[in-house]
Amino acid sequence: MRQSDDTAGVLQRARGAYLGLAVGDALGATVEFLTPGEIARAFGVHRDLVGGGWLRLKPGQVTDDTQMSLALGEAILEARGFHLKTVADHFLAWLKSKPVDVGNTCRRGIGRYLRDGSLESPFNEGDAGNGACMRNLPVALYALHDDAAFARASIEQCHFTHNHPLSDAAVLALGRMTRALVLGGTREDCRAIADALVAVHRTFRFEPYPRRTTGYVVDTVQTVLHGFFTTGSFEDCLVKVVNLGGDADTNGALAGMLAGALYGEAAIPRRWLRRLDPGVRKRIEGQAGALVTGPLARRWADRD
């Protein structure tokens, strides 16, 4: 795997991943829970940040995908490293802020922490949702240079709400793909990671694409990988994924994360960035820089 020591390049790919996540979230939220046919009848091809949808969002407004990512990133920066209780406290503060949308499994896990202070959900066969996968980008950026730290922190934040081996596998695979790309890796590097995931968990097979877009983490990963590997630009990837409907905000967010890391910040259409909530954009840009070029990043470099 080719890795780059170019700090400016790493930063623009990290910002591309984080802004891509938010743009994909905002784009997809408009058509969440719609079918491809319903989207086609309403929009032709949905390709602009117009808000609306079942949540009645403002243009450029994001949902829990981006908001929980920001809460996780703030916790890492506050603790100057990954500290699960700090993460839990930030998730709790986010829930108390009355966000526009909260997934059931995330709400249940945060509620459990509020009641008894426990930091891990018990295994639940029904918890193979995509809620832990959608928010893990700050962990990938924080532990960009340390595989073991990345895996450990990813699973800990995952199990706070989602304790299921398929959720674990998805979080690790998409996170490893993102880390590889931010460090200068290629689409072929990502394909090797995707193939390794499918080799261990055949249920994640995405060729031929099954065309399921629910919040089940397998459907999410299949949709995201299908869009990522069959398109050649940031915009084409996101437009293809969100127009498949279903859990379009999370699918769009994760596709935007990968595409943004591959193509870089400059590839994100200006019209989308102009519409993105300016407060969210400012927080993302600050976090991305702090996570990959700030004191935490320098600590990894000094240790190496």
Side-chain angles (χ1 to χ4, degrees), residues 83-167:
H83 182 250
L84 186 55
K85 188 177 186 308
T86 304
V87 172
D89 288 338
H90 277 258
F91 284 164
L92 178 57
W94 167 75
L95 183 63
K96 288 182 175 180
S97 74
K98 298 182 180 179
V100 66
D101 189 29
V102 185
N104 290 333
T105 306
C106 290
R107 185 188 296 277
R108 186 169 64 247
I110 299 169
R112 183 207 69 251
Y113 171 68
L114 177 62
R115 290 190 306 274
D116 63 23
S118 60
L119 293 170
E120 181 173 338
S121 295
F123 168 77
N124 186 326
E125 187 58 51
D127 282 354
N130 57 24
C133 199
M134 73 186 188
R135 66 186 185 226
N136 198 51
L137 176 58
V139 170
L141 299 181
Y142 148 72
L144 201 56
H145 301 282
D146 189 307
D147 293 340
F150 162 73
R152 181 174 63 253
S154 294
I155 295 303
E156 285 189 16
Q157 79 82 15
C158 189
H159 286 186
F160 179 66
T161 53
H162 294 68
N163 192 340
H164 194 285
L166 293 179
S167 180

Side-chain angles (χ1 to χ4, degrees), residues 3-304:
Q3 292 188 349
S4 172
D5 293 324
D6 175 15
T7 300
V10 168
L11 178 58
Q12 67 93 13
R13 289 187 293 271
R15 284 165 57 115
Y18 216 150
L19 289 168
L21 182 142
V23 164
D25 177 11
L27 184 70
T30 300
V31 294
E32 186 179 15
F33 302 136
L34 298 183
T35 66
E38 289 169 334
I39 295 169
R41 286 191 290 274
F43 299 97
V45 177
H46 173 53
R47 59 188 324 124
D48 292 303
L49 270 63
V50 296
W54 75 279
L55 292 171
R56 299 181 181 179
L57 301 176
K58 299 175 183 178
Q61 185 176 356
V62 298
T63 74
D64 52 342
D65 304 79
T66 306
Q67 291 168 349
M68 292 197 80
S69 297
L70 287 168
L72 177 54
E74 287 167 358
I76 291 171
L77 293 171
E78 179 183 305
R80 299 182 181 180
F82 185 87
H83 182 250
L84 186 55
K85 188 177 186 308
T86 304
V87 172
D89 288 338
H90 277 258
F91 284 164
L92 178 57
W94 167 75
L95 183 63
K96 288 182 175 180
S97 74
K98 298 182 180 179
V100 66
D101 189 29
V102 185
N104 290 333
T105 306
C106 290
R107 185 188 296 277
R108 186 169 64 247
I110 299 169
R112 183 207 69 251
Y113 171 68
L114 177 62
R115 290 190 306 274
D116 63 23
S118 60
L119 293 170
E120 181 173 338
S121 295
F123 168 77
N124 186 326
E125 187 58 51
D127 282 354
N130 57 24
C133 199
M134 73 186 188
R135 66 186 185 226
N136 198 51
L137 176 58
V139 170
L141 299 181
Y142 148 72
L144 201 56
H145 301 282
D146 189 307
D147 293 340
F150 162 73
R152 181 174 63 253
S154 294
I155 295 303
E156 285 189 16
Q157 79 82 15
C158 189
H159 286 186
F160 179 66
T161 53
H162 294 68
N163 192 340
H164 194 285
L166 293 179
S167 180
D168 294 352
V171 167
L172 292 174
L174 293 188
R176 286 171 178 146
M177 292 171 68
T178 303
R179 291 169 71 236
L181 293 170
V182 170
L183 287 171
T186 65
R187 190 193 303 267
E188 289 70 30
D189 296 322
C190 291
R191 185 63 197 229
I193 295 169
D195 289 346
L197 171 67
V198 172
V200 175
H201 299 282
R202 297 288 291 172
T203 188
F204 283 105
R205 289 179 60 191
F206 58 95
E207 293 176 334
Y209 174 53
R211 303 191 70 83
R212 294 187 294 266
T213 57
T214 75
Y216 177 43
V217 76
V218 172
D219 295 346
T220 295
V221 170
Q222 290 171 330
T223 298
V224 169
L225 295 183
H226 169 69
F228 179 70
F229 287 120
T230 59
T231 55
S233 73
F234 180 90
E235 182 170 358
D236 286 350
C237 179
L238 259 65
V239 169
K240 183 169 189 173
V241 167
V242 302
N243 279 272
L244 293 169
D247 198 8
D249 58 338
T250 298
N251 295 339
L254 290 171
M257 176 183 75
L258 291 180
L262 175 61
Y263 301 111
E265 179 183 6
I268 302 176
R270 297 295 101 184
R271 73 182 191 281
W272 287 351
L273 289 177
R274 285 194 297 267
R275 275 290 182 97
L276 185 63
D277 182 312
V280 167
R281 181 176 177 180
K282 183 177 180 180
R283 289 171 68 192
I284 284 173
E285 292 170 347
Q287 276 195 23
L291 288 168
V292 302
T293 66
L296 290 177
R298 289 196 293 273
R299 182 183 68 180
W300 298 123
D302 293 342
R303 188 193 64 181
D304 294 340

